[in-house]
Amino acid sequence: MRDGITMQATETRQKRGADWLAGAGLRPTRQRVALAALLIGDGKDRHVTAESLYAASCDSGEKVSLATVYNTLRAFCEAGLMREITVDGSKSYFDTNTSNHPHFFWEDDAHLTDAPAEELKIAQLPQAPEGAEIAKVDVVIRLRPARG
Amino acid sequence: MRDGITMQATETRQKRGADWLAGAGLRPTRQRVALAALLIGDGKDRHVTAESLYAASCDSGEKVSLATVYNTLRAFCEAGLMREITVDGSKSYFDTNTSNHPHFFWEDDAHLTDAPAEELKIAQLPQAPEGAEIAKVDVVIRLRPARG
DNA sequence: TTAAGTGCAAATTATTTGCAGTAAG
DNA sequence: CTTACTGCAAATAATTTGCACTTAA
């Protein structure tokens, strides 16, 4: 073990992943535990696409098919463990932080990060039209490299 | 002419469409004028998908291929005549209202409408991280049918 | 044992593109 | 005339699905 703080034993990360699954009543299969470990193993929030998570799992040496990555991300969302974020028409992003919060979308390399929720203050929101109610408000702050 | 107010002559609508194109320096081909007439012919803002606009053009009797609808919507966006809105991972929406304003997304039938910009008051926005600047802030208010 | 999960390859959906023909300036 | 536009059909890209096989409970 080269680094006691940042490099956790794989077993620890997998334990956390398994617990996370158990909390949602999901069957802890080898591939789900592996993906869960990659997603929340170090306790940090993460934003992934199916492709990026698939790449990460390949890198980590775990063998999980791309179809399973897709199915698993869907299952995690349905179980309330993750949230799907819509920012770019072409692909779907998934966030391990399920609280309601704004996002930064970096237009130059199309990646997503959390924006500090406490810095966003909405003083007034348009009211929902008759017969409808607000399900969710999505705020995406698109960023580009600063000029100069 | 059955209705002098709501039913405008096709020529009038097409004239408007042609002017709109001319204002952006786009060549007024038959298909562009037809699509433009459908989009802004009556002066109202409109939200379309490539498919919905294609369907509308078929209904109106104009013959425009789906590929051309896609290419034309892109061209209109590049020319600044329309704005692309990202709300649903699966398809792209296009808005004839190019001002910065929030949207209502009706989850039950996946359609989009404008939300009143004056009713949205953002008191504070997260500041852009070092080296980045805010290009745009997208606000999408997701609606579901009110319970009951 | 048995219902749920997995992996592959084929299917779908939204969108783009190559290219030959058509039309606008 | 000359370059941009159009339409078709084929190509892509992201994602889903059918189905035989595996595995957790």
Side-chain angles (χ1 to χ4, degrees):
Chain A
M1 195 185 303
R2 293 168 308 177
D3 181 336
I5 296 171
T6 63
M7 172 121 195
Q8 300 170 6
T10 300
E11 305 90 70
T12 307
R13 310 174 58 121
Q14 296 207 332
K15 179 94 179 42
R16 280 202 206 186
D19 291 349
W20 190 57
L21 293 174
L26 287 176
R27 230 186 244 192
T29 65
R30 195 204 83 228
Q31 10 308 67
R32 284 180 178 175
V33 173
L35 296 179
L38 289 169
L39 287 168
I40 54 96
D42 63 0
K44 290 186 202 143
D45 286 325
R46 201 140 292 167
H47 299 83
V48 301
T49 61
E51 283 289 351
S52 79
L53 182 57
Y54 176 65
S57 79
C58 290
D59 287 354
S60 79
E62 289 290 343
K63 206 165 64 64
V64 183
S65 77
L66 181 56
T68 295
V69 172
Y70 273 104
N71 292 159
T72 300
L73 284 171
R74 282 256 153 277
F76 287 1
C77 284
E78 269 157 35
L81 294 174
M82 299 186 77
R83 201 80 111 198
E84 184 172 3
I85 316 285
T86 301
V87 269
D88 174 295
S90 62
K91 31 176 154 267
S92 287
Y93 291 75
F94 298 87
D95 187 354
T96 55
N97 177 350
T98 57
S99 73
N100 202 299
H101 62 285
H103 286 96
F104 285 132
F105 179 66
W106 303 71
E107 295 188 329
D108 53 341
D109 64 347
H111 87 277
L112 199 65
T113 57
D114 285 337
E118 66 280 5
E119 287 180 29
L120 175 68
K121 289 179 185 143
I122 296 182
Q124 193 192 325
L125 209 55
Q127 72 180 205
E130 265 300 306
E133 64 183 12
I134 295 177
K136 187 159 173 278
V137 179
D138 287 341
V139 177
V140 176
I141 302 167
R142 289 171 186 268
L143 300 176
R144 63 174 164 232
R147 65 193 171 328
Chain B
M1 194 182 304
R2 292 167 308 177
D3 181 336
I5 295 171
T6 62
M7 172 122 194
Q8 301 170 8
T10 301
E11 305 90 68
T12 306
R13 308 174 58 119
Q14 296 207 333
K15 178 96 182 38
R16 279 204 208 187
D19 290 348
W20 190 57
L21 293 174
L26 288 176
R27 228 185 245 192
T29 65
R30 194 203 86 229
Q31 7 313 63
R32 284 180 180 174
V33 172
L35 296 178
L38 289 168
L39 288 168
I40 54 96
D42 63 1
K44 290 186 201 141
D45 288 323
R46 199 139 295 169
H47 299 83
V48 301
T49 61
E51 284 290 351
S52 78
L53 182 57
Y54 176 64
S57 79
C58 290
D59 287 353
S60 79
E62 290 288 345
K63 206 166 65 62
V64 183
S65 77
L66 181 57
T68 294
V69 172
Y70 272 105
N71 292 158
T72 300
L73 284 171
R74 283 256 154 275
F76 287 0
C77 284
E78 270 158 33
L81 293 174
M82 299 186 78
R83 200 81 110 199
E84 184 171 3
I85 316 285
T86 301
V87 269
D88 174 296
S90 63
K91 32 176 155 267
S92 287
Y93 292 76
F94 298 87
D95 186 355
T96 54
N97 177 351
T98 57
S99 72
N100 202 299
H101 62 284
H103 286 96
F104 285 132
F105 178 65
W106 303 70
E107 295 187 331
D108 53 340
D109 64 348
H111 87 276
L112 199 66
T113 56
D114 285 336
E118 67 280 6
E119 286 181 29
L120 174 67
K121 289 179 186 143
I122 295 182
Q124 194 192 324
L125 209 55
Q127 72 179 203
E130 266 299 308
E133 64 183 13
I134 295 177
K136 188 159 172 278
V137 178
D138 287 342
V139 176
V140 176
I141 301 167
R142 290 171 186 269
L143 301 176
R144 62 173 165 233
R147 65 198 170 325

